[in-house]
Amino acid sequence: MKKFAIVGLLALGFFLGGCGTTRTPTTEAGGHWEVIFAAGNPPVNETLFNFETTFTVSGSGALIVTNVNFLTTGPCFAVSGVGDRVAGKWSVTSAPSDPIATANVTYTVQGGGNLLTLTGTATGSTNTVTDVTNWSAVTGTWTLTGNSNCTGSGASPGGTFTMCPNGTTCTIT
């Protein structure tokens, strides 16, 4: 009888010990993303200096960018992105238990006297059983300041962008 009581108490202890445990939500973003732009002024939906980037997000939400490659040539940024300073922030705004995930995102590229600023909202879906978020896109607005030759192509003062992760087909918003 004592053996059953001891086993029962151990089982109860394990059960109660698991009740206070919380899962750590995984709303991490990162990986390889493609960014495409649309002009703010006519001609509407003109494609401008699209680029690819690879980043991770630190525990504080800061972007740790390891790669930037511009896909279109232009007077504002070199294709390789070498020498550009890149920074940003990924701030999750949804609750971990919310199946629809959202985050505020900023991303900046500074180089050659020019500053490109992207400000948008990330959307995704969270599996509320596993607490893992899959981010589907970031959409928002962009502005470019700097040299006068970087305000052409209908891009003054800015327009919209779409940012898609890991090979997702990205279309202009």
Side-chain angles (χ1 to χ4, degrees), residues 11 32 49 56 68 84 116 126:
H32 185 79
F49 46 85
T56 58
V68 175
D84 294 338
L116 174 64
T126 300

Side-chain angles (χ1 to χ4, degrees), residues 27-88:
T27 54
E28 297 171 354
H32 185 79
W33 291 69
E34 175 188 3
V35 184
I36 61 170
F37 296 83
N41 296 328
V44 176
N45 291 335
E46 179 178 351
T47 302
L48 305 167
F49 46 85
N50 300 340
F51 67 90
E52 295 177 333
T53 184
T54 305
F55 62 85
T56 58
V57 180
S58 73
S60 67
L63 296 185
I64 302 165
V65 180
T66 56
N67 180 45
V68 175
N69 285 314
F70 285 87
L71 302 174
T72 52
T73 59
C76 302
F77 300 98
V79 172
S80 69
V82 174
D84 294 338
R85 287 185 287 153
V86 184

Side-chain angles (χ1 to χ4, degrees), residues 100-170:
I100 299 177
T102 56
N104 292 327
V105 178
T106 58
Y107 189 103
T108 60
V109 179
Q110 187 171 14
N114 302 305
L115 175 63
L116 174 64
T117 303
L118 285 67
T119 305
T121 302
T123 54
S125 60
T126 300
N127 180 324
T128 56
V129 174
T130 61
D131 283 341
V132 174
T133 300
N134 291 311
W135 297 100
S136 56
V138 177
T139 56
T141 58
W142 61 269
T143 57
L144 178 63
T145 57
N147 299 326
S148 61
N149 61 345
C150 291
T151 59
S153 302
S156 178
T160 61
F161 75 92
T162 301
M163 189 173 185
C164 303
N166 304 317
T168 303
T169 302
C170 221

